[in-house]
Amino acid sequence: MYESQSPDLTHKSQQPNLPMKRRWGITACAALSAMLCTGASSPTGCSSGSSSFGNIGPSSGEIVGAAFGVGAVIAVAIIVPVEISRSHHTLNGCVVTGEKGLELRTSDAKTYSLEGDAASIKVGDKIKIHGSKIKKTKDSTGPQVFKVEMLTKDFGPCPVTAAAAAVPAH
């Protein structure tokens, strides 16, 4: 019948953009919270009480809306900085040998010279690393330096590109 196969996510266009989906989810949650907190859920002329003075204090819907809004604000205040810090300190790419040692070439054609905990990194592998970019000085030449703190994932050998396959071996 049908075979269960995992999708081929080797091409960047096929990979899901998870941080963007998270941002949309956070934005939608914040917008819904804002609508609930503004009291947009009930008309202003309604009164459900039998007394001539109406209800005193907030309704249960307003309390639930306020609680949901506070929860959403707290979630956004925690999730957004964590996602930003993770995405700015993670690189994916293929490891090659450069002039000063190991270098990482990313899918957007940027090259980073690797420093730090690079002992477990092998040339020719596609990897995901966590660390920090070291600022270039005005007089420095060569690729941007990335200080490796941890090898997050080793995806195995880098895929062969059409340009690399077209070069004849000598």
Side-chain angles (χ1 to χ4, degrees):
M1 194 139 198
Y2 294 106
E3 288 186 27
S4 168
Q5 294 181 355
S6 62
D8 181 19
L9 298 177
T10 55
H11 300 296
K12 186 174 176 118
S13 64
Q14 293 176 342
Q15 293 178 349
N17 191 350
L18 294 179
M20 186 58 76
K21 287 182 181 179
R22 284 188 186 128
R23 287 185 189 117
W24 275 108
I26 291 169
T27 303
C29 184
L32 180 61
S33 299
M35 286 190 331
L36 289 173
C37 288
T38 59
S41 61
S42 66
T44 56
C46 291
S47 70
S48 60
S50 61
S51 71
S52 62
F53 296 112
N55 290 337
I56 298 176
S59 69
S60 60
E62 291 172 331
I63 293 171
V64 170
F68 185 75
V70 168
V73 168
I74 291 171
V76 169
I78 292 171
I79 292 172
V80 170
V82 169
E83 287 299 320
I84 289 172
S85 70
R86 284 187 183 168
S87 66
H88 286 109
H89 299 288
T90 303
L91 289 177
N92 292 320
C94 289
V95 181
V96 296
T97 304
E99 293 178 15
K100 298 179 182 178
L102 294 177
E103 292 182 352
L104 184 76
R105 291 201 180 131
T106 62
S107 60
D108 57 354
K110 292 183 180 178
T111 303
Y112 295 89
S113 178
L114 301 179
E115 285 185 357
D117 187 19
S120 61
I121 298 174
K122 295 179 277 183
V123 174
D125 279 356
K126 182 175 182 179
I127 61 170
K128 180 177 184 178
I129 53 177
H130 181 78
S132 57
K133 294 177 185 175
I134 299 175
K135 292 190 180 217
K136 286 179 89 171
T137 59
K138 289 183 180 181
D139 58 340
S140 67
T141 59
Q144 171 83 38
V145 177
F146 188 83
K147 185 173 181 181
V148 178
E149 294 174 7
M150 177 176 54
L151 174 64
T152 307
K153 187 163 185 172
D154 189 339
F155 298 102
C158 288
V160 178
T161 62
V167 177
H170 295 289

